[in-house]
Amino acid sequence: MDASSFIGPFVPELLLLGAVLLVFLFDVLGIRRNEGLSTIAVAATSLALLSVLGDLGFAPLGVFATLPPALLDAAPTGAPLYAFTSLGLIFQAIFLLSALLVCLASASRPSNEKGAPIFYGLLLLATLGMLLVAVATDLIFLLLAIEVTSISTYLLVAYHRRESRSLEAAMKFFIIGALSTVLSFYGASLLFGAYDSTNLFAIGRATSTVGFPVLVLLGYGFLIAGLAFKVTLVPFHAWAVDVYDGAPSDVSAFLAGGTKKIGLFAFFLVFLGPILYIKAIGAGESPFQGGALDLGPVLTLTLAVLAVITMTVGNLLALLQKEMKRMLAYSSISQAGYMLIGVTIGTAPAITGATMQIFAHVLMKGGAFLVVAGVAALGIGPLIDDWKGLGTRRPLLGAAFALMLLSLAGVPLTVGFVSKFVLFSSAVQAQGYFVWLAVAGLLNSALSVFYYARVLKVIFFDAAPTVPVAPTAPPPAEALPAGGLGYGRAVTIGLIAVLIVAFGVYPQPVLGAIQAAAQHFITVGA
Amino acid sequence: MFPLLSAVLATLLVGTALTFLAGKNARWVALATSLAFLAEVAYLLASYPGWPGYSAGLIPGFADQESYAWIHLGWLQVNYTVGVDGISLVLILLTAILQVATVIYSWNETRRPGAWFGLVMLTCLGCLGVFIALDILLFFLFWEAVLVPMFFLIGYWGGPRRRYAAVKFFVYTHVASIVMLVGLLALVFYSGATSFDFASVYAAGRGLMTVTQTFLFLALFFGFGVKFPIVPFHTWLPDAHVEAPTGGSVLLAGLLLKLGGYGLIRWAVFVLPSGFHESQPILFTIAFVTIVWGSIVSLAQRDLKRMVAFSSINHMGIVLLAIALGSSLGLLAAVLLMFAHGIVSALLFMVSGSVHHTYGTRDIPSLGGITPSTPVLATMVMVGSLASLGLPWLISFPAEFTALLATWDGLAYWVLIPLGILVVTAGFYIWMMQRMLFGPPRGIPVGVHDLPWYESAAMSLLVVFTILFGILPFLLVNLIVSSPIRGFPGT
């Protein structure tokens, strides 16, 4: 393998690595102004994003393509460590988008803030790990890539070193994360014992001939548990709320919008093989027929139960929250449940739906946490009730936030509706007991409306507590986002709002690309 | 062919966007857009080729059709397909009239006029979309899109308990829509329809087994029924109506309630005929309960607006009864009733709004003899009430008469229930007029003024249509019977 065919495919990763090294170099040289560093981060992530989109074949971006076309969706030969599937590239694009939005918004951080190089360096490093997850085809490679991301994010959460809340969150995150890593690796080692390989292609092919049911079941069980921590599935979710809550809101946006999705892609990689195999021999058969163990139904059922429990518990707990960030965190947990539906069903339509939901979630939840960061910068407290009157004092910010919440609730003409529609349609289309997944998902959507509507009520209809109701004295910050919000955040939030509507009104390009990729993904095999 | 319906949608969309930006001049932009909308609807009516018996185009019988691909994924074919038939044209006309009237009525809105007029027009835009959509997902999109502006209209401009009412309205109707969405998805995927288009769903839906059809019909009916509203899912309506600002109530009663009836006719009754026939006993029961309950409860109300709100429930019960009959005559009656109720309830809600800010109260017993001090207002109260109780020569009469005729046709002596309830309805309106308009003056503040010009202008517009279609109902009837789905299977 000559150098060019190795470098070409990894241009996005190398770009990020270069940016990481540059940022740390600047730190050593004493150049630590936030503006400069955020420019580097934005440039690196957007170039990488363009390159990935070019590789995917979006016509106007062809000049940025660096991946040799022969490598894309190539049939696997042997047991490779990595492979370039178009679905993987789409996930890379989604990861890069979430990192780009956070970097862009971070341009509004105080320019002399201490530790800015660390922030950007770690952010880019975490993104690098995410990109690697998207191309992994080997369990060990996959878990190591997840580790790159995880370790970076532990540190990101603790970025405000002097704040005990952040530190506590980081500590919790670290301990739970370490535990989940151990579980995943333990599961992987059991699977290695059963299959004599850590390669996902090999495991996928071998699933039909399960030699040691107990080993395999235990292996998958541990792997599900380990990955479920990353994806915040109930009952492995408890850490997420404290961490999202304690972390700086920009970082929460990245965690909820970006990094937890690597776990979902890992679910795609690890579980679609076994599940698809069962599809081939016919769904709906009893898992324990004839004394032999049929792995697919067991996994499907486990994932289905996890999905329903996750969305329901997340929503119910979100109803009880008084703090904005905690509410968003629980809502994020419930959204993970929706996404898991796609893995459970495992058809191309369902994967399309889940991927679209993941894409939508980057915009909506990432955007919502960025608004939280902006609102905190305006000096407004963390409780939902502190947000009273925001919609009348800052109509544009309020409208953008309302749009994100409506999108999360799945109101039409937003990207959140499109994704839920495609996802639940795919469940109904799959028929059988998957229809009940759609019903559960829709009922949960109905449930979630309660808490979103309540927030809308507070920010638009309730009078602000500090400002007098009389219209004689409008608050001084009349000029919109100039003061506390900052241009970076204002631009990012505006951009996200526009994207939410744009992809809600015309989703065909994205959906078409994802559908084609999903089709490839399940035919090539994970 | 010129994309006429998209042009109408675009007019409203651009007008709405400009209104939001126009700030203090919003009312002028809103008025100009609404008049343009009305003119376009007039052109639509004039150019409608089905008077009666029209059939050409993509889906036979629908005029002005357009279809563009929207989401095409192989297994999921959603199009932007629009088109009109006589039934939708009648309701589109209603939308245009009510939009003009609402904009004029709220001419003096001073709290954030840009947002107010913009949201009013957005609501009408959504309703228009529901009436022209011939793709089941497009229909659902507009159906849901109506919720959001109405939520803000109630929640920001409403009365003392507006926050509670807005959230209740949003949650109630959204939950119902979700159940409906389950039904829609199941309808498309279980029937093997090739796309979400009306033509495809219509052809595939009737092929389903009766049991499946019944379940799907009931799911859809729940979604439509909450909008109606049917007893026992009506409790959002009095709250929303009483707390909504006058313009909001006008749109709620005049347009939003019609969405339920229209949806039931277009997407449930004809698409799932066996399911409909199986569910008829349930529909009759609910219709009768709704009629009786709405009327009896109105009788007990002291608040004028609350009384009108409950009488809306009663009227929509008659609409449901007419649809449930499953006959061509019943369908005609249902659409006529929806149009009539749209105009008349809008008038009555304007009247209650005007009574409220002229006299500072809507409490019927504490007012009396208001005719000498505010003759115009009193006239409007009278016209609205008489129209609502079904006086001949006014618009409700032909509608209610047709409904009773259709009921006699289908259910024979059961007609005594709606007939008897008509007497109760007449009773509470006349009793209200007797207490409020006549007798010794009571509760009249000094220096009271009659209606400002814009309020009388808006109400006069509605009165004109009340009388026009009361005398010439065949204008609407011809339109409705020209619709392709006018014949019920098995009748």
Side-chain angles (χ1 to χ4, degrees), chain A residues 95-415:
Chain A
F95 297 153
L96 283 167
L97 178 68
S98 82
L100 174 61
L101 291 175
V102 174
C103 291
L104 202 57
S106 300
S108 323
R109 303 172 79 89
S111 68
N112 52 358
E113 194 180 36
K114 273 194 173 174
I118 300 179
F119 175 78
Y120 290 107
L122 290 174
L123 191 67
L124 292 173
L125 206 56
T127 316
L128 175 61
M130 293 157 74
L131 296 191
L132 292 176
V133 168
V135 297
T137 55
D138 187 279
L139 263 181
I140 302 300
F141 186 96
L142 173 71
L143 294 177
L144 284 176
I146 291 178
E147 268 318 274
V148 171
T149 306
S150 301
I151 292 173
S152 313
T153 45
Y154 302 151
L155 294 170
L156 268 181
V157 171
Y159 163 68
H160 285 309
R161 277 187 298 171
R162 311 230 173 272
E163 227 172 274
S164 57
R165 224 172 144 174
S166 284
L167 282 184
E168 186 199 333
M171 207 57 209
K172 203 172 242 175
F173 192 20
F174 173 66
I175 293 171
I176 298 283
L179 177 66
S180 88
T181 307
V182 169
L183 287 176
S184 310
F185 272 102
Y186 190 52
S189 69
L190 290 179
L191 288 180
F192 176 69
Y195 293 123
D196 203 18
S197 169
T198 56
N199 186 272
L200 290 169
F201 291 119
I203 294 179
R205 279 192 295 267
T207 320
S208 51
T209 53
V210 176
F212 311 93
V214 179
L215 264 193
V216 172
L217 272 187
L218 275 179
Y220 275 117
F222 281 119
L223 206 50
I224 288 183
L227 293 177
F229 275 114
K230 305 285 182 208
V231 194
T232 68
L233 298 181
V234 176
F236 308 99
H237 67 288
W239 62 273
V241 179
D242 291 335
V243 171
Y244 292 174
D245 186 26
S249 298
D250 294 332
V251 175
S252 309
F254 185 62
L255 291 178
T259 52
K260 81 185 239 186
K261 311 301 164 29
I262 57 174
L264 278 159
F265 191 70
F267 263 107
F268 279 9
L269 287 172
V270 174
F271 293 104
L272 283 184
I275 288 176
L276 284 177
Y277 164 71
I278 316 308
K279 294 280 148 50
I281 64 166
E285 292 169 35
S286 157
F288 295 106
Q289 52 186 330
L293 178 70
D294 205 346
L295 196 54
V298 177
L299 287 181
T300 316
L301 196 64
T302 312
L303 293 180
V305 169
L306 275 178
V308 173
I309 291 180
T310 302
M311 55 179 125
T312 314
V313 171
N315 273 326
L316 287 176
L317 290 178
L319 276 174
L320 305 176
Q321 300 309 312
K322 294 202 165 55
E323 278 181 47
M324 190 65 85
K325 270 172 100 174
R326 292 184 85 86
M327 187 209 84
L328 288 175
Y330 276 113
S331 125
S332 179
I333 291 173
S334 73
Q335 300 269 338
Y338 300 141
M339 296 163 198
L340 199 63
I341 290 179
V343 187
T344 311
I345 299 171
T347 59
I351 296 173
T352 313
T355 311
M356 191 66 190
Q357 178 73 20
I358 288 168
F359 171 68
H361 195 243
V362 168
L363 293 177
M364 332 186 272
K365 194 52 64 65
F369 273 115
L370 289 178
V371 172
V372 172
V375 167
L378 292 175
I380 296 173
L383 295 179
I384 293 178
D385 283 342
D386 293 336
W387 289 45
K388 278 181 182 169
L390 184 78
T392 41
R393 275 184 292 164
R394 292 191 166 253
L396 287 182
L397 186 63
F401 192 59
L403 202 59
M404 288 156 191
L405 291 187
L406 289 175
S407 179
L408 281 167
V411 170
L413 298 179
T414 60
V415 69

Side-chain angles (χ1 to χ4, degrees), chain A residues 390-486:
Chain A
L390 184 78
T392 41
R393 275 184 292 164
R394 292 191 166 253
L396 287 182
L397 186 63
F401 192 59
L403 202 59
M404 288 156 191
L405 291 187
L406 289 175
S407 179
L408 281 167
V411 170
L413 298 179
T414 60
V415 69
F417 172 77
V418 173
S419 60
K420 274 191 187 165
F421 166 68
V422 175
L423 184 62
F424 297 149
S425 295
S426 73
V428 179
Q429 189 241 6
Q431 300 200 359
Y433 75 85
F434 292 132
V435 176
W436 294 105
L437 283 178
V439 172
L442 282 165
L443 289 180
N444 266 289
S445 301
L447 192 61
S448 70
V449 169
F450 281 91
Y451 54 84
Y452 296 129
R454 199 187 58 178
V455 173
L456 288 182
K457 184 202 88 155
V458 167
I459 65 178
F460 282 103
F461 305 152
D462 288 351
T466 50
V467 183
V469 186
T472 45
E478 188 74 358
L480 262 162
L485 198 57

Side-chain angles (χ1 to χ4, degrees), chain B residues 113-158:
Chain B
W116 165 264
F117 286 106
L119 290 170
V120 164
M121 286 164 61
L122 211 53
T123 311
C124 295
L125 174 72
C127 293
L128 172 72
V130 167
F131 296 138
I132 64 175
L134 283 183
D135 182 281
I136 205 163
L137 186 73
L138 192 67
F139 167 82
F140 184 79
L141 281 179
F142 283 118
W143 172 279
E144 279 285 277
V146 174
L147 273 185
V148 179
M150 190 46 85
F151 172 72
F152 285 107
L153 282 178
I154 299 174
Y156 191 79
W157 285 271

Side-chain angles (χ1 to χ4, degrees), chain B residues 94-255:
Chain B
L94 178 67
T95 312
I97 294 173
L98 289 189
Q99 185 181 329
V100 175
T102 310
V103 168
I104 297 178
Y105 185 86
S106 41
W107 196 247
N108 240 9
E109 181 63 55
T110 47
R111 292 184 64 202
R112 294 187 183 268
W116 165 264
F117 286 106
L119 290 170
V120 164
M121 286 164 61
L122 211 53
T123 311
C124 295
L125 174 72
C127 293
L128 172 72
V130 167
F131 296 138
I132 64 175
L134 283 183
D135 182 281
I136 205 163
L137 186 73
L138 192 67
F139 167 82
F140 184 79
L141 281 179
F142 283 118
W143 172 279
E144 279 285 277
V146 174
L147 273 185
V148 179
M150 190 46 85
F151 172 72
F152 285 107
L153 282 178
I154 299 174
Y156 191 79
W157 285 271
R161 285 168 66 244
R162 61 201 160 86
R163 302 183 193 99
Y164 167 75
V167 172
K168 186 171 180 183
F169 164 76
F170 192 81
V171 168
Y172 246 77
T173 42
H174 187 75
V175 169
S177 309
I178 298 258
V179 176
M180 185 172 94
L181 183 62
V182 176
L184 294 184
L185 292 181
L187 170 60
V188 171
F189 288 108
Y190 278 83
S191 70
T194 49
S195 81
F196 281 61
D197 268 6
F198 179 73
S200 143
V201 172
Y202 183 69
R206 38 190 57 219
L208 285 167
M209 283 189 309
T210 306
V211 183
T212 323
Q213 281 202 24
T214 311
F215 274 109
L216 292 179
F217 182 86
L218 290 177
L220 295 181
F221 174 64
F222 180 72
F224 298 133
V226 170
K227 270 256 171 45
F228 246 93
I230 52 171
V231 175
F233 303 109
H234 65 287
T235 63
W236 64 269
L237 184 129
D239 283 319
H241 268 309
V242 171
E243 297 309 320
T246 305
S249 306
V250 167
L251 296 181
L252 256 179
L255 288 177

Side-chain angles (χ1 to χ4, degrees), chain B residues 328-342:
Chain B
S328 307
L329 197 60
L331 178 65
L332 170 68
V335 181
L336 274 180
L337 271 171
M338 286 200 281
F339 186 85
H341 177 257

